[in-house]
Amino acid sequence: MATIKEVAEACKVSVATVSNILNGKPGASEATRKLVLKTAEKMEYTPNYVAKHLKMRNTRSIGVIVEDMTIFSIPDIVDGITDYCQKVDYQILLTNLRLFKKYDDKYYNRDDYFGIVKQEIRKLMAKQVEGIIYVAAHERIMHCIPDDLPIPAVMAYGYTKRGKVPSVVVDDEHGAYEVVQYLIEQGHSRIGVITGKADSLHMQARLLGYQMALRDNGILYNPELVCNGDWTREAGYRYTDELLDKEVTAIFCMNDLMAGGVYDRTEERNIKIPEKISVVGYDNRELSSYYKPPLTTITLPLHDIGYRAAEVMIDMLDKKIQPQDEELVYQIPCSRLIRKSVKSLETVKVSGTS
């Protein structure tokens, strides 16, 4: 991002001329005015008065860029950011990129939208925000925040792999461990899994949590009980028969939508949940409480992710957190929500021996 002096040198005019043109003052020819404005835009010039006010920290505002407000995870994260900012008397300026609406989830593996992010950051800096919080719709590794950004930035629900821009993410490994541990506590040892997409960091961490819960309880991991889903309800429906044929007593779906597909197929086959098969999900989507029976699931700490991201931002502004060479990641734990979709096999054993 260029200074006014660099713009002046590129245009071969004085700093005063550039300043007057950028501030809308008369005196320069039309050709010079167009040259300066075009050059300033091309060089991504940020006005000096912005840097001065940012240094003084007297605007008490944070820019929040979200990938798409229609994604279920984002509103709660933004609410968490707002919650903390209100406590410390900061305001947020919100920008919605609407990426999911434009590109569906295909943009997760693209980087051609980074230019849009950079442009929105410049707009927010022109409004004198003191820092930027970027809120991703789906956790993945991203490098959309410029390396030379002169103000602090935090990534919420995504990884930057950098020490200068901290990442605040969900501890998916812990969440999966918790829900599988609950199944094991209820006497289940043959637990089928319907995963999300293979390239998803969420899926990879949840599979690891599943494996670790089995290991810690002395249960051998069986890859034949793992079905590769894609987060959709159809995937849950599609793999239900396969897992039932393998005589699992419980199915761990890596999100609540796929659990809904399991419910659909078991209802068609007149197989009762949890009497004949136990089912657990992940995410605590609102719809999961309306399943019959209500779904045992994992609650994502979305509000807490936003709250912590804002907390980290203010700590950076207060110099309590300094940029570093090592990757800086804050993991937020999940919690399990016990409902009515799991049968206790231990209870059956006890009653059968009494």
Side-chain angles (χ1 to χ4, degrees):
M1 295 181 180
T3 65
I4 193 170
K5 183 178 179 181
E6 291 169 335
V7 173
E9 290 174 351
C11 296
K12 294 183 170 48
V13 297
S14 68
V15 170
T17 298
V18 174
S19 177
N20 287 338
I21 291 172
L22 293 176
N23 286 288
K25 295 180 180 180
S29 68
E30 183 63 17
T32 301
R33 188 183 72 82
K34 288 182 177 179
L35 173 64
V36 168
L37 292 176
K38 184 177 181 180
T39 303
E41 181 179 3
K42 183 177 180 180
M43 296 179 69
E44 299 183 350
Y45 165 71
T46 301
N48 279 344
Y49 76 85
V50 172
K52 180 178 74 173
H53 282 296
L54 289 169
K55 188 174 181 180
M56 292 171 61
R57 291 186 61 247
N58 62 359
T59 65
R60 302 194 72 82
S61 61
I62 302 296
V64 178
I65 299 175
V66 304
E67 291 189 339
D68 200 308
M69 283 298 297
T70 65
I71 298 296
F72 84 96
S73 56
I74 286 184
D76 281 345
I77 295 176
V78 173
D79 184 60
I81 294 170
T82 305
D83 187 4
Y84 185 78
C85 285
Q86 287 179 346
K87 283 182 169 64
V88 294
D89 193 29
Y90 267 74
Q91 65 173 333
I92 69 167
L93 301 182
L94 182 65
T95 297
N96 180 18
L97 300 179
R98 301 184 69 251
L99 294 177
F100 194 84
K101 283 286 189 180
K102 294 175 182 176
Y103 311 116
D104 199 51
D105 65 358
K106 295 179 180 61
Y107 80 90
Y108 291 166
N109 298 312
R110 292 164 49 177
D111 58 13
D112 54 354
Y113 66 92
F114 287 5
I116 300 174
V117 177
K118 207 170 183 180
Q119 183 180 33
E120 294 304 325
I121 289 175
R122 290 174 55 207
K123 290 179 182 178
L124 287 168
M125 288 182 63
K127 295 176 182 177
Q128 306 177 41
V129 298
E130 296 178 27
I132 299 288
I133 298 176
Y134 186 93
V135 183
H138 187 83
E139 284 189 358
R140 59 200 192 279
I141 299 169
M142 290 176 290
H143 304 291
C144 59
I145 298 176
D147 290 331
D148 59 350
L149 190 67
I151 59 175
V154 176
M155 177 71 70
Y157 214 50
Y159 291 86
T160 65
K161 293 295 183 180
R162 291 154 57 193
K164 183 181 178 182
V165 183
S167 305
V168 183
V169 296
V170 62
D171 190 347
D172 271 316
E173 183 181 312
H174 166 264
Y177 186 100
E178 282 290 299
V179 76
V180 175
Q181 178 65 28
Y182 175 70
L183 288 172
I184 295 170
E185 290 169 358
Q186 302 309 305
H188 297 274
S189 59
R190 195 166 178 81
I191 303 168
V193 183
I194 304 176
T195 75
K197 292 184 176 180
D199 61 353
S200 165
L201 296 182
H202 293 288
M203 188 287 289
Q204 295 162 14
R206 292 172 193 181
L207 184 60
L208 182 58
Y210 164 78
Q211 293 169 329
M212 291 179 66
L214 296 181
R215 179 203 65 188
D216 289 353
N217 288 275
I219 301 171
L220 186 65
Y221 170 68
N222 183 354
E224 291 186 359
L225 301 185
V226 178
C227 297
N228 298 316
D230 60 5
W231 305 119
T232 65
R233 192 168 185 129
E234 290 75 16
Y237 181 95
R238 184 167 63 249
Y239 288 116
T240 298
D241 287 345
E242 180 177 330
L243 290 173
L244 290 174
D245 289 344
K246 292 176 180 177
E247 299 182 339
V248 301
T249 63
I251 299 175
F252 165 38
C253 299
M254 287 194 181
N255 75 355
D256 295 340
L257 284 177
M258 293 190 296
V262 175
Y263 274 59
D264 294 340
R265 182 56 181 149
T266 53
E267 183 178 9
E268 286 181 354
R269 293 184 55 179
N270 199 29
I271 296 173
K272 299 296 184 183
I273 299 173
E275 288 82 1
K276 297 298 183 181
I277 184 71
S278 294
V279 183
V280 296
Y282 204 108
D283 291 346
N284 189 25
R285 299 284 290 270
E286 184 178 357
L287 55 82
S288 67
S289 65
Y290 296 106
Y291 292 165
K292 294 182 179 180
L295 180 69
T296 290
T297 187
I298 288 293
T299 297
L300 290 176
L302 299 173
H303 178 277
D304 294 345
I305 287 173
Y307 193 96
R308 184 65 177 129
E311 199 172 33
V312 169
M313 170 57 66
I314 300 303
D315 283 348
M316 292 176 73
L317 291 171
D318 290 338
K319 309 301 182 185
K320 295 178 182 177
I321 296 176
Q322 298 287 346
Q324 60 182 47
D325 294 332
E326 297 290 327
E327 179 184 9
L328 190 54
V329 178
Y330 298 91
Q331 288 190 317
I332 310 300
C334 303
S335 58
R336 61 190 184 190
L337 180 58
I338 308 303
R339 293 195 179 113
K340 302 293 185 180
S341 62
V342 175
K343 179 180 180 178
S344 175
L345 301 185
E346 293 295 329
T347 302
V348 174
K349 290 178 183 179
V350 171
S351 62
T353 57
S354 60

